[in-house]
Amino acid sequence: MILFEWGTYNALSTLKQAALLGTRITEIPPAVLSRRLPSGYYESYKKLSEEYFTSIIAHGPYYNLSSEKGLKGHLSAIEKATLCGAEIYNYHLGRRVGDDLNYHLDVLKKFSEVNNDIIYSPEPATNIGEFGTLDEIEELVKAAKEEDIKIIPSLQLENIFLNELEVYEKDDLDEASEKADVDWWLKIFKRMDKISDYIMHFRFSQVIGLKYGKRFYKKRVPLGKGYPPVDPLVEALSTYLVENATRGGFKKVLFVYTGLPEVKYRDLIDLYAMIMKNSIDKLMSKESQVEYGEFYKTMSEEEEG
């Protein structure tokens, strides 16, 4: 049992270094799954990842699922992810097509035909005009469960911030930041917890916004240089994580840092430390601790039994 599993994306060449830093999960990058690599690459990725990490996630390529070519690309990527030992396939839903719910449910059925053991994890929309509000993801998750497809929401936190607070439409990151307080985040976590039967799958990097014509684009930046604000998010995460670990019904939690390649390990460790520091007082409170006398009394009774 651990408060949460943490890590970032790694190519084969950085798996050992990432493990030595103490990360517990790894994510297969989209580039690995969109290229034709020797089969030995995927087999080596699986072998080393299973040796070094507790969980392996795959991030699907940025192919448009509304096209036949894009769908075929994802199906191929799932085959490669399977060779790499992936337990979760994270992917983008993409542009709206009309009857989006049924369309993406059919997509998941095709995914499941390739691998029905992997857990599929659709990510919130990354821009205006894309499918993937929290309401829509909630509907898709529930519909997929009825088809016995393994599925959990992918909680890419900056996407949720941008989408749910209408930054794409208003282009006002500061106004959204004022609304994204601890309570706002906790409501989202608790809501998504209800439909995350297997695992809570968090993802995060800070971003800034770039406007081109009518479209808003997010650009990843180093930790502390962008949006959403880190402090309320870290407080909300630590509150959720401690409650998950101490209130019964423990659920495995994964946290993937998706920041810029050149600073991702430093940022990840800084973020991990912030979350853990915020968790210490909560974990050490009298409410959370088991009193030693009661603990040893229980142990003694079990031994006698």
Side-chain angles (χ1 to χ4, degrees), residues 57 59 73 87 93 120 122 125-129 136 166 176 180 188 194 208 227 230 233 250-251 261 274-275 281 304:
I57 300 170
H59 190 300
E87 303 156 45
L93 294 159
Y120 295 101
T126 58
N127 215 320
I128 192 169
E136 290 164 342
E166 301 179 330
I188 289 172
K194 293 177 181 178
I208 57 173
Y227 300 86
V230 172
L233 177 56
F250 178 78
K251 186 171 295 182
M274 292 169 68
I275 295 169
D281 290 340
E304 290 175 2

Side-chain angles (χ1 to χ4, degrees), residues 92-245:
H92 293 269
L93 294 159
R95 294 196 295 268
R96 296 182 180 277
V97 296
D99 186 6
D100 293 287
L101 178 62
N102 287 320
Y103 180 85
H104 283 286
L105 183 57
D106 286 339
V107 165
L108 279 166
K109 290 176 182 177
K110 290 182 174 69
F111 283 3
S112 191
E113 288 174 5
V114 177
N115 185 337
N116 62 0
D117 291 321
I118 204 167
I119 300 170
Y120 295 101
S121 195
E123 190 171 310
T126 58
N127 215 320
I128 192 169
E130 294 182 355
F131 183 66
T133 65
L134 287 186
D135 286 342
E136 290 164 342
I137 286 178
E138 193 169 30
E139 284 185 69
L140 181 61
V141 168
K142 290 177 179 177
K145 286 180 185 178
E146 292 179 1
E147 301 292 335
D148 293 323
I149 296 170
K150 294 180 179 179
I151 187 169
I152 55 172
S154 168
L155 304 181
Q156 186 78 44
L157 299 172
E158 75 277 12
N159 288 2
I160 293 171
F161 167 80
L162 295 171
N163 206 348
E164 298 300 311
L165 294 175
E166 301 179 330
V167 176
Y168 298 131
E169 291 87 350
K170 298 179 180 179
D171 191 21
D172 194 333
L173 286 158
D174 291 320
E175 179 186 347
S177 296
E178 292 178 7
K179 296 177 181 178
D181 58 15
V182 176
D183 288 339
W184 185 82
W185 284 115
L186 281 172
K187 287 177 184 176
I188 289 172
F189 299 165
K190 290 174 181 177
R191 175 184 173 186
M192 293 295 103
D193 181 275
K194 293 177 181 178
I195 60 170
S196 298
D197 295 339
Y198 309 98
I199 296 164
M200 277 289 274
H201 176 198
F202 291 105
R203 310 169 62 80
F204 178 66
S205 69
Q206 277 192 308
V207 297
I208 57 173
L210 299 174
K211 202 74 180 285
Y212 184 76
K214 293 183 178 181
R215 289 185 67 81
F216 178 98
Y217 295 92
K218 72 173 189 179
K219 178 178 173 60
R220 293 179 296 169
V221 294
L223 190 67
K225 303 291 185 181
Y227 300 86
V230 172
D231 289 345
L233 177 56
V234 165
E235 175 62 22
L237 280 168
S238 63
T239 298
Y240 170 79
L241 293 168
V242 171
E243 287 182 355
N244 175 62

